[in-house]
């Protein structure tokens, strides 16, 4: 068994020492030297998947150090050997208890993450199904591009820099049908005050678990209402001043009217 020390250094940085450490670790990984000796400063930096035994001659300072030292032994069925005094038995037992609690919390968090991912997948599928295509031009409106269309329309309402034309959002919690997750979200988008009240406020038709999806559907409904109100053209773009909405009746700006009836003329002739 050949051995070579790997010396750690906490203060400052020595290039020659760093190169020596790197060479020693490379030889350890390749099996040229076995085992290396390292100070506690390297307990976070050694990554050798083939390592199956870690021997500690001093006690770890805290739970973090204990977990990191044990984590240096990466091989399956590896061992951690610690030389310690009898008085430290209670401390080690406490660290093991804390580690078990951490593992339990981690597993609970992972289950919650998987549950969220499941619901997110369901909502993503519904988002992709909400589409509207203009028959005459083939222009497509969906929940992904609705925000861009809506922002473009609002920015066309005023050219003044001090006028706020950005859409405003309200997110409300509502009770859902699922007893396990009773609170769901509904979003309302409010457009600038220069618009008619009917297309100015729109809300998502469905209840959502995720705020971003509720907001997307509200934006989709808002731009769809602008189209039906004739405020955007068949390309789903804001109308210019030369365009005429198909929902607005056309008539001449000046028309002939009958002469106003003068009642006093009939009285005078009588």
């Amino acid at each position: 068994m050949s051995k070579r020390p790997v010396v750690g250094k906490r203060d400052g940085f020595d290039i020659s020492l760093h190169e020596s450490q790197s060479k020693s670790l490379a030889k350890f990984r390749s099996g040229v030297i076995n085992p290396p000796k390292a100070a506690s400063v390297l307990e976070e930096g050694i990554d050798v998947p083939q390592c199956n035994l870690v021997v500690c001659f001093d006690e770890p300072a805290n739970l973090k150090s204990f977990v990191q030292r044990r984590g240096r032994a990466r091989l399956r069925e590896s061992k951690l050997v610690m030389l310690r005094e009898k008085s430290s038995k209670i401390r080690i037992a406490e660290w093991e208890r804390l580690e078990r609690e951490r593992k339990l919390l981690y597993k609970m968090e992972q289950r919650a993450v998987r549950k969220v991912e499941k619901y997110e997948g369901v909502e993503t599928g519904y988002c992709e199904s909400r589409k509207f295509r203009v028959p005459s031009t083939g222009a497509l409106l969906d929940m992904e591009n609705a925000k861009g269309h809506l922002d473009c329309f609002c920015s066309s309402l005023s050219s003044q820099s001090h006028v706020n034309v950005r859409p405003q959002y309200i997110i409300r919690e509502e009770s859902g049908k699922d007893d396990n997750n009773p609170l769901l979200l509904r979003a309302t988008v409010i457009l600038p005050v220069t618009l008619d009240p009917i297309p100015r406020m729109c809300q998502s038709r469905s209840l959502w678990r995720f705020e971003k999806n509720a907001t997307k559907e509200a934006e989709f409904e808002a731009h769809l209402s602008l189209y039906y109100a004739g405020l955007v053209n068949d390309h789903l773009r804001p109308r210019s001043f030369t365009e005429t909405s198909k929902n607005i009746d056309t008539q001449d700006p000046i028309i002939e009217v009958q002469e106003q009836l003068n009642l006093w003329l009939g009285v005078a002739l009588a």
Side-chain angles (χ1 to χ4, degrees), residues 89-192:
K89 183 177 181 180
I90 298 178
R91 181 185 303 175
I92 297 298
E94 179 69 13
W95 288 344
E96 290 177 345
R97 182 187 64 82
L98 292 174
E99 187 180 13
R100 288 194 297 270
E101 292 179 357
R102 282 193 171 188
K103 287 183 178 180
L104 180 60
L105 291 175
Y106 176 77
K107 291 180 179 180
M108 293 175 61
E109 290 176 356
Q110 290 300 307
R111 285 195 294 267
V113 168
R114 288 193 293 268
K115 187 176 182 180
V116 168
E117 291 176 348
K118 176 183 176 181
Y119 289 130
E120 189 170 16
V122 173
E123 290 195 354
T124 300
Y126 182 70
C127 289
E128 294 174 352
S129 66
R130 291 299 312 275
K131 298 178 181 179
F132 171 78
R133 191 178 296 275
V134 181
S136 59
T137 62
L140 177 66
L141 177 67
D142 57 33
M143 289 178 57
E144 293 299 327
N145 64 19
K147 178 175 176 57
H149 284 302
L150 202 62
D151 289 341
C152 179
F153 172 81
C154 291
S155 63
S156 68
L157 296 178
S158 177
S159 60
Q160 302 297 324
S161 59
H162 61 275
V163 178
N164 184 11
V165 294
R166 291 178 298 180
Q168 305 297 319
Y169 299 90
I170 299 176
I171 308 297
R172 293 188 176 89
E173 292 183 345
E174 298 186 15
S175 299
K177 297 180 180 180
D178 190 351
D179 295 335
N180 296 326
N181 297 276
L183 293 181
L184 300 176
L185 303 176
R186 189 187 300 275
T188 301
V189 58
I190 304 175
L191 303 182

